[in-house]
Amino acid sequence: MVPAWLWLLCFLVPQALPRAQPAELYVEVPENYGGNFPLYLTKLSLPREETEAQIVLSGDAGVAGEGPFAVDPESGFLLVTRALDREEQAEYQLQVTLETEDRRVLWGPQPVRVHVKDENDQASGHQATATMDVSIVENTWVPLDPVHLAENLQVPYPHHIAQVLWNGGDVHYHLESQPQGPFEVDTEGKLYVTGELDREAQAEYLLQVRAQNTHSEDYAEPLELQVVVTDENDNAPVCPPRGPSASIPELSPPGTKVAKISAEDADAPSSPNSHVVYQLLSPEPEEPAELKAFELDSTSGSVTLGAAQLQAGQNILLQVLAMDLGGTDGGLSSTCEIPVTITDINDHAPEFTTSQIEPISLPEDAEPGTLVTTLTATDADLEPAFRLMDFAIEAGDEEGTFSLDWEPDSGHVQLRLLKNLSYEAAPSHKLVVVVRNVEELVGPGPGPGATATVTVRVERVVPPPQLDQESYEASVPISTPAGSLLLTVQPSDPMSSPLRFSLVNDSEGWLCIKEISGEVLTARSLQGAQPGDMYTVLIEAQHADEPTLSTSVTLVIHFLKALSAPTPTLAPVPSRHLCTPRQDHGVVVSGPREDPDPAGGHGPYSFALGPNPTVQRDWRLRALNGSHAYLTLGLHWVEPREHVVPVVVSHSDQIWQIQVRVIVCRCNVEGQCMRKVGRMKGMPTKLSAVGILVGTLIAIGIFLILIFTHLTLARKKDLDQPVDSVPLKAAV
């Protein structure tokens, strides 16, 4: 067999592993890549034991330090952080070293050549490819490093991944054994992948390529080529099927464990694609630490309570974002939810809604069982068992005069009278009622609101006043003058408390009663009353010291015929005039005699205006002596005309009515009446004067129209005359 060299050219994805010796790596990146960044290109074979060293990336013209390339220190992947433009730069020459702080090189340098491939050269894919040289010496395959292909590679299929070349003869190639995978080789030694690879279905493939001379049966030893399917970040973290739920007691201290999120990522274990971190989305992830209600460990997914206090009864839905690629840009994420319920504890003591009740008055004859007042207490706890209350009278009821009544599950308690009250024994009671929880209280004890003070005043019971009669009657002649005494109302016990009297329904205004003595008098003449009629009024008597204590009786007046007496002759009342607006003038009204003689049965006389309300409004009458009275205007303005004013004159049991004629008129400054004057004879009226004026104006207008018409016609006649008819003036 003739010795030959076999060269293998492999186009790999950007995650191809370099050789153990730092040979130059060649990486192709499609320009204007439209996927997520950072884009992982290839994994560098950095020594794992050098943990204290730092990775240094350098390149031509400082591109690596400032440009789009970086090295992930945790995974050792070379990555690009943004899209590249072939027109700006078609190729980048990078160099990776592992150095100490004093710049001593521990590993490298590893040269890396990045070629920006034109976007029209191939379909857009998730990975770039690398090139590796492989040869065969004397029919012996040189051992190859595993070939790494990205799963779900978006390229046209079949896709060329390697080339086998046999020097020294005419040969053809075939796969010695076909694994369960989409691979094939043609007779020219080109190795293809015919479809997408799925790491979850199969992570590795072992291919055997055999070269055979076309002129003999000679075969080279099979070439074993290991194909490793590199992970593509195509699986987002998955939250548990039923998210964890938590019930946290109220007032739990900060740091209390709430729940733990554990999301699973189906990408390759221990790779950046399956490196999951957590971030709290709600509630309030941006709040300051002292205002946060929850804290989240981004690495472990453990949720604990923060510094902010939570209230019982709150139902909070925590939303936690689970992100792969360690939370860097381009990773996938899922949102996990944790329902959290804040449970109640008995940390609130019940309190009365009102701690001071206004004084309540009870009569001392109130019966036991009488409701005094109702108190209301509230409890801020949510659990019904924590709201059960117990009430008690803590102070002020040493004799057991009062009791409390309430329902077990109600916040209302009724204060009732248990025994009879006594004003002499205790005129007032100051009760202190306290409320407590039935269940044991957690935290601070009850505050001031747990007590309520109720003041009960005992009212002395005083019997209503008693009068000497249950009702009163009186018979009165209709001629009884004003001011006549009819009867006196008196208490049954002269030594009792003083009373005050008043009339309730004296609709006619005929009567009046003296407030202290109880004497009932006629307030005015009984004009309008008819013999045989009855007039009923109500007399009310009140205790002078206790106005609320009163009694009332009826008074019935029976009207009798007027007493007969000689009718005196009334003096004539001459007509007089009074000025309006009112001036200091009046009319003197005289009685039947100028000099009344009481011994003779005449005079003195009393004078009063008639019962007409209009008369009493417009006029005033006052007595001058026993025989005369003075009549004046009652208003500032009274209508100017002749008025007839009725005046009632009474003497003993006799009553007369006289009509006083008074002329009300406007007056001059001397107080003399100015009378209205009628129209003089021969003087035109206003209407006739207006008619004469209008007729005169019309006549003048017609005369002017005739003049202007005549002038217009004369001028027109002159203009129409011929020129020849105009006489010429002879020249001298």
Side-chain angles (χ1 to χ4, degrees):
M1 183 179 294
V2 180
W5 298 85
L6 182 62
W7 299 87
L8 180 62
L9 180 62
C10 298
F11 297 91
L12 303 175
V13 294
Q15 294 167 340
L17 289 172
R19 296 179 184 274
Q21 297 298 327
E24 183 183 63
L25 294 178
Y26 178 79
V27 181
E28 288 187 348
V29 181
E31 71 170 332
N32 300 324
Y33 173 66
N36 295 327
F37 289 96
L39 175 63
Y40 289 80
L41 301 180
T42 185
K43 183 175 178 62
L44 304 175
S45 56
L46 298 172
R48 297 181 179 180
E49 62 274 5
E50 303 295 342
T51 57
E52 299 298 330
Q54 60 182 357
I55 300 174
V56 178
L57 177 64
S58 59
D60 50 355
V63 172
E66 302 175 359
F69 300 99
V71 177
D72 186 357
E74 296 184 0
S75 62
F77 271 89
L78 175 68
L79 51 90
V80 62
T81 59
R82 62 176 174 83
L84 302 179
D85 188 358
R86 179 181 174 85
E87 281 69 26
E88 292 182 0
Q89 188 168 344
E91 195 170 74
Y92 296 86
Q93 190 68 42
L94 307 178
Q95 184 173 280
V96 182
T97 58
L98 193 63
E99 302 177 359
T100 60
E101 293 183 357
D102 57 357
R103 310 290 296 187
R104 183 168 59 88
V105 178
L106 300 178
W107 177 85
Q110 169 68 66
V112 180
R113 184 157 56 96
V114 180
H115 177 71
V116 182
K117 195 163 186 176
D118 189 76
E119 62 181 354
N120 294 326
D121 291 347
Q122 62 177 25
S124 59
H126 292 286
Q127 305 291 338
T129 55
T131 301
M132 181 185 297
D133 293 333
V134 181
S135 62
I136 302 175
V137 180
E138 295 182 353
N139 295 335
T140 302
W141 295 100
V142 176
L144 298 178
D145 288 335
V147 176
H148 292 75
L149 293 178
E151 65 173 340
N152 302 323
L153 188 64
Q154 300 297 314
V155 295
Y157 290 100
H159 179 58
H160 181 211
I161 62 173
Q163 174 73 57
V164 178
L165 179 62
W166 187 276
N167 291 329
D170 189 8
V171 297
H172 66 271
Y173 310 90
H174 66 274
L175 290 175
E176 184 71 16
S177 61
Q178 175 63 41
Q180 295 297 323
F183 299 97
E184 64 181 24
V185 64
D186 63 7
T187 57
E188 297 179 357
K190 293 182 179 179
L191 184 63
Y192 295 91
V193 59
T194 60
E196 293 184 3
L197 302 178
D198 187 0
R199 179 180 174 83
E200 284 69 30
Q202 187 168 344
E204 295 183 0
Y205 297 87
L206 185 61
L207 306 180
Q208 291 184 347
V209 182
R210 183 182 291 275
Q212 181 182 10
N213 194 303
T214 57
H215 303 290
S216 65
E217 299 296 329
D218 295 335
Y219 285 91
E221 292 293 330
L223 170 64
E224 291 187 352
L225 181 62
Q226 183 182 11
V227 179
V228 178
V229 182
T230 59
D231 186 38
E232 176 79 5
N233 188 24
D234 58 347
N235 292 286
V238 179
C239 299
R242 293 186 62 185
S245 59
S247 296
I248 305 300
E250 185 184 17
L251 301 182
S252 295
T256 301
K257 184 177 180 180
V258 177
K260 184 177 182 180
I261 287 289
S262 180
E264 296 182 357
D265 196 305
D267 291 319
S270 303
S271 69
N273 295 336
S274 62
H275 181 201
V276 180
V277 296
Y278 304 93
Q279 178 185 345
L280 184 63
L281 292 181
S282 66
E284 301 90 22
E286 303 298 333
E287 292 290 343
E290 62 273 9
L291 300 180
K292 286 185 177 181
F294 299 94
E295 298 285 350
L296 172 67
D297 189 325
S298 61
T299 303
S300 65
S302 178
V303 181
T304 58
L305 287 181
Q309 290 293 331
L310 298 174
Q311 301 297 325
Q314 283 185 271
N315 293 310
I316 304 170
L317 184 63
L318 295 182
Q319 292 184 330
V320 178
L321 185 66
M323 304 172 290
D324 60 13
L325 289 183
T328 57
D329 294 339
L332 302 177
S333 62
S334 298
T335 301
C336 306
E337 295 182 345
I338 307 176
V340 179
T341 301
I342 308 302
T343 59
D344 189 26
I345 62 173
N346 190 21
D347 60 331
H348 293 91
E351 294 184 347
F352 286 106
T353 57
T354 304
S355 59
Q356 291 288 338
I357 306 299
E358 294 184 359
I360 300 171
S361 298
L362 286 180
E364 62 178 344
D365 60 350
E367 296 182 359
T370 301
L371 176 64
V372 179
T373 186
T374 299
L375 303 177
T376 301
T378 58
D379 194 313
D381 291 313
L382 301 179
E383 187 67 27
F386 299 154
R387 297 202 302 267
L388 296 179
M389 307 175 195
D390 190 16
F391 300 90
I393 300 177
E394 191 175 54
D397 189 30
E398 291 76 9
E399 301 297 329
T401 309
F402 300 90
S403 65
L404 298 176
D405 185 15
W406 74 94
E407 295 294 332
D409 57 348
S410 172
H412 305 285
V413 58
Q414 295 179 339
L415 177 64
R416 293 185 177 275
L417 186 63
L418 187 61
K419 298 180 180 180
N420 292 323
L421 298 173
S422 173
Y423 180 85
E424 288 73 15
S428 65
H429 300 266
K430 189 173 184 180
L431 309 176
V432 178
V433 183
V434 64
V435 58
R436 300 183 182 88
N437 269 127
V438 174
E439 296 290 333
E440 183 179 357
L441 186 66
V442 178
T451 60
T453 302
V454 182
T455 301
V456 179
R457 293 177 179 174
V458 181
E459 294 180 347
R460 177 181 293 174
V461 176
V462 179
Q466 298 292 328
L467 301 180
D468 59 347
Q469 296 182 26
E470 294 182 357
S471 63
Y472 294 87
E473 293 185 6
S475 297
V476 181
I478 59 175
S479 59
T480 301
S484 300
L485 177 64
L486 303 183
L487 54 88
T488 301
V489 180
Q490 296 178 346
S492 60
D493 183 6
M495 303 303 295
S496 62
S497 300
L499 302 179
R500 296 185 182 275
F501 301 94
S502 62
L503 295 178
V504 175
N505 58 341
D506 183 16
S507 58
E508 298 294 337
W510 285 332
L511 307 177
C512 64
I513 188 170
K514 293 185 178 181
E515 184 180 13
I516 303 301
S517 64
E519 294 179 348
V520 179
L521 308 171
T522 54
R524 64 182 184 87
S525 63
L526 303 179
Q527 184 178 359
Q530 298 296 328
D533 291 346
M534 290 190 303
Y535 183 63
T536 304
V537 296
L538 195 65
I539 301 175
E540 186 178 70
Q542 295 179 334
H543 268 294
D545 299 332
E546 297 288 342
T548 57
L549 299 177
S550 63
T551 188
S552 59
V553 295
T554 58
L555 169 61
V556 179
I557 303 296
H558 300 273
F559 293 112
L560 304 178
K561 292 182 179 181
L563 298 177
S564 60
T567 303
T569 302
L570 298 179
V573 180
S575 298
R576 296 288 302 274
H577 78 270
L578 295 177
C579 296
T580 185
R582 184 176 57 193
Q583 297 183 4
D584 295 333
H585 301 291
V587 175
V588 177
V589 180
S590 62
R593 293 184 56 182
E594 293 293 336
D595 185 16
D597 182 10
H602 302 288
Y605 300 98
S606 61
F607 299 86
L609 292 172
N612 191 325
T614 304
V615 172
Q616 296 182 0
R617 179 197 65 187
D618 295 345
W619 302 91
R620 295 289 181 269
L621 183 65
R622 60 185 177 88
L624 292 178
N625 48 42
S627 60
H628 293 82
Y630 195 63
L631 179 66
T632 59
L633 294 180
L635 300 178
H636 181 71
W637 170 265
V638 176
E639 181 183 0
R641 64 180 177 84
E642 184 179 8
H643 295 263
V644 178
V645 182
V647 177
V648 178
V649 182
S650 61
H651 171 65
S652 298
D653 56 351
Q654 298 297 314
I655 299 176
W656 305 272
Q657 181 170 314
I658 60 176
Q659 304 294 331
V660 180
R661 296 182 179 274
V662 181
I663 297 175
V664 178
C665 59
R666 295 177 181 270
C667 299
N668 56 18
V669 293
E670 288 82 8
Q672 297 176 350
C673 184
M674 297 186 298
R675 298 182 178 272
K676 186 176 181 181
V677 180
R679 184 174 62 88
M680 296 178 62
K681 293 183 179 181
M683 294 294 292
T685 62
K686 292 182 180 180
L687 182 60
S688 61
V690 172
I692 294 172
L693 179 61
V694 172
T696 303
L697 293 176
I698 292 174
I700 294 173
I702 294 173
F703 182 72
L704 292 176
I705 291 172
L706 293 174
I707 293 174
F708 286 131
T709 302
H710 177 73
L711 293 176
T712 302
L713 294 176
R715 181 176 178 82
K716 183 176 181 182
K717 184 177 181 181
D718 293 340
L719 293 175
D720 293 341
Q721 187 177 4
V723 179
D724 296 341
S725 64
V726 179
L728 299 177
K729 293 182 180 182
V732 180

